[in-house]
Amino acid sequence: MRWGSFIGITVITLIIAWYQWPKINQGHRKDKAAFVVLSAAGWAFGVIVAAFPHLPSPLTLLDTLFEPLSKLLE
Amino acid sequence: MIEKGKISAAQMSFLSYANIVVTSILIVPGITYKYAKQDLWLSPIWGALLGLMLVPLFLQLHRRYPSYTFIEYLEAILGKVWGRLVGLCYVLFFLLSSGLTLRQYGDFLIGAVFRETPLLVIMALFSLATTMVVHAGLEVLARMADIFVPLLVFLWLLVIVLLLPDYELKQVLPIMENGAAPSLRGAVAPFTWNALFFYLSSLLPFVNERERKEGLKWSYITVLAVMITLVTTNLSALLLFGNITGQFVYPFMNAARYISYADFFENMEALVMAIWVGGMFIKHAFYQYVLVLSTAQWLHLSDYKSIAYPIGVIITILGLWISPSVADIAHFIDVTLPFMSLGFFILIPAMLLLIAVLKRRLAVK
């Protein structure tokens, strides 16, 4: 685990929350929930990518998925 | 409707034009040459045929649901369960497109100028700027296109014109040496880019009411403008480099580097760099806008601005993670992306229109 990345992503997420939270339409619980979930997802995503930089990329998955079709082009 | 901004028909056209042309003038000539050889300038003309078919498709869908964007009429046509399921696929696809665009921007900048700067820094700063645009709304994005697009077209034209004395016309011969097949195979990349006319569906609902008619005209003008730009770019690379065009990943960039007048007008690739940075700014901000708006519509939120920054963070990390190398991305764009575009941008919208028409017919009976 790289602590620099961990601290970085945490600080960025907190700054965004501090800036954006008061501006979310009051009384819309769904908006607030969406903001919290997406912020948490971004944070978790960042931590995971920082911890395991060599995760297989989504493009590899898609390349494999579409291989029967893409063979037609090659 | 959660987007309250209004744009003009010309702004819609500028945004779509920039979205397609920016990456294609750099990436398409190389890919096209690989298959079409000296017929590479014919391929964008085949590509434009697709554009000419897609525009009416989205205009028809738009006529049936004038104030809805794609994600919204998806739900209106397919019903709640299927509409949301397919909608999720689109949101994820938009996310992938944004991440990919951001990464392309970063890779190109590092490859060409900022050799020592970490990728993350370049992408994060760029992402911050585009997120601010998205947060400001569609009107700001449209006005940005107003300012940048004419400037970018001018710079592009400047590169083409400065190369005029170096062109050798005989390089285009023989035309269609092996029939139309090579140029058609080469047209896969222009097809993929012309499929981006799908994004008209995200802009049409926000065009001024009194310019609705003009929106139709401007959409077709955009198809022609894209075709002319691509044909000219491909042709200028061919006329300059002839049969070594295929050795460059970005022939247009190399062409600009070739310009030299009186030991004074040199290093013109800086112009291409300016086109890339300015154009990518519009393109990525637009993609991010579509992603943020679609996500908000998919979740039925009351506002899209509040989720702009969290999504900006997700895109940046995705851009970092998406691929270990430039070659992987090139391979993906060459063979996999065409099929994804075919599905998401052409087949599903065409089926939607069919279902919408059938629904109406059955309802009348």
Side-chain angles (χ1 to χ4, degrees):
Chain A
M1 165 70 80
R2 303 186 205 153
W3 288 103
S5 323
F6 179 76
I7 295 168
I9 184 79
T10 309
V11 168
I12 289 168
T13 309
L14 287 177
I15 290 176
I16 291 172
W18 171 72
Y19 169 79
Q20 191 68 59
W21 188 256
K23 294 187 178 181
I24 300 176
N25 288 346
Q26 292 307 315
H28 284 90
R29 281 184 56 203
K30 218 171 175 181
D31 285 32
K32 288 185 172 174
F35 178 78
V36 171
V37 170
L38 285 169
S39 298
W43 180 81
F45 190 22
V47 169
I48 291 170
V49 171
F52 310 101
H54 298 294
L55 280 178
S57 107
L59 296 192
T60 319
L61 175 73
L62 289 168
D63 278 338
T64 326
L65 211 65
F66 281 86
E67 212 179 337
L69 285 170
S70 53
K71 267 192 198 134
L72 298 174
L73 281 180
E74 277 178 293
Chain B
M1 205 150 65
I2 59 179
E3 173 60 68
K4 288 166 190 78
K6 286 282 169 206
I7 60 173
S8 71
Q11 284 173 327
M12 175 188 79
S13 172
F14 279 178
L15 275 171
S16 326
Y17 175 80
N19 180 22
I20 297 172
V21 158
V22 173
T23 40
S24 61
I25 57 171
L26 280 167
I27 299 170
V28 169
I31 301 180
T32 319
Y33 183 81
K34 211 165 87 190
Y35 304 106
K37 301 296 175 211
Q38 76 274 17
D39 285 341
L40 85 168
W41 57 280
L42 285 170
S43 301
I45 302 177
W46 300 126
L49 293 178
L50 178 70
L52 287 177
M53 288 190 295
L54 276 187
V55 168
L57 170 63
F58 290 107
L59 286 172
Q60 281 296 321
L61 279 166
H62 169 62
R63 224 188 56 190
R64 286 178 165 74
Y65 301 93
S67 65
Y68 281 11
T69 66
F70 190 82
I71 294 288
E72 286 171 310
Y73 55 63
L74 201 59
E75 213 174 307
I77 294 172
L78 291 180
K80 209 157 175 71
V81 179
W82 282 104
R84 300 205 84 189
L85 213 60
V86 180
L88 178 65
C89 296
Y90 271 93
V91 168
L92 290 175
F93 183 63
F94 293 153
L95 178 64
L96 183 79
S97 307
S98 304
L100 203 60
T101 310
L102 184 62
R103 178 57 177 264
Q104 282 178 313
Y105 168 82
D107 276 343
F108 189 72
L109 227 62
I110 286 182
V113 275
F114 297 127
R115 290 178 197 282
E116 302 290 324
T117 317
L119 185 62
L120 178 64
V121 173
I122 289 177
M123 294 201 312
L125 289 175
F126 190 65
S127 192
L128 178 66
T130 52
T131 311
M132 282 171 168
V133 174
V134 174
H135 195 265
L138 179 62
E139 286 185 349
V140 172
L141 178 63
R143 253 172 269 153
M144 210 174 70
D146 260 348
I147 297 167
F148 276 128
V149 173
L151 191 70
L152 301 179
V153 173
F154 172 74
L155 292 180
W156 169 81
L157 212 57
L158 196 64
V159 173
I160 300 283
V161 169
L162 284 175
L163 283 168
L164 271 178
D166 299 310
Y167 292 150
E168 277 188 55
L169 280 176
K170 67 172 171 37
Q171 304 275 26
V172 290
L173 300 171
I175 295 170
M176 293 219 197
E177 190 185 10
N178 300 313
S183 64
L184 271 172
R185 172 59 188 88
V188 170
F191 273 137
T192 315
W193 263 269
N194 268 282
L196 295 180
F197 277 107
F198 166 86
Y199 285 96
L200 281 176
S201 64
S202 305
L203 293 170
L204 282 168
F206 309 124
V207 173
N208 269 328
E209 242 101 276
R210 58 197 147 74
E211 291 195 16
R212 280 281 147 86
K213 279 239 167 65
E214 282 180 52
L216 197 118
K217 193 181 74 191
W218 277 100
S219 308
Y220 288 109
I221 292 177
T222 316
V223 178
L224 285 181
V226 167
M227 184 188 83
I228 292 168
T229 313
L230 281 182
V231 169
T232 313
T233 310
N234 281 0
L235 204 54
S236 78
L238 178 71
L239 293 180
L240 186 64
F241 294 125
N243 53 17
I244 59 163
T245 312
Q247 293 176 9
F248 307 110
V249 185
Y250 308 114
F252 190 61
M253 184 82 174
N254 292 77
R257 202 167 277 156
Y258 193 83
I259 298 171
S260 172
Y261 282 100
D263 291 333
F264 182 71
F265 286 105
E266 286 185 332
N267 288 322
M268 287 298 165
E269 70 266 26
L271 292 185
V272 180
M273 217 58 225
I275 297 176
W276 178 257
V277 173
M280 279 308 253
F281 191 51
I282 299 173
K283 184 180 169 94
H284 184 59
F286 180 44
Y287 272 18
Q288 205 173 340
Y289 169 77
V290 171
L291 170 64
V292 168
L293 184 70
S294 304
T295 312
Q297 286 172 337
W298 188 73
L299 292 168
H300 296 291
L301 302 183
S302 69
D303 188 15
Y304 66 91
K305 289 174 183 174
S306 57
I307 55 170
Y309 281 98
I311 287 184
V313 171
I314 295 178
I315 294 173
T316 312
I317 297 165
L318 179 67
L320 200 64
W321 172 54
I322 203 161
S323 164
S325 76
V326 183
D328 277 6
I329 294 179
H331 178 76
F332 176 78
I333 290 174
D334 196 7
V335 300
T336 306
L337 192 62
F339 291 105
M340 295 189 76
S341 298
L342 180 69
F344 280 109
F345 293 159
I346 303 167
L347 294 183
I348 295 178
M351 266 163 58
L352 278 185
L353 183 62
L354 194 69
I355 295 170
V357 171
L358 287 178
K359 256 185 159 175
R360 178 137 326 167
R361 285 271 164 80
L362 292 176
V364 169
K365 282 174 190 170

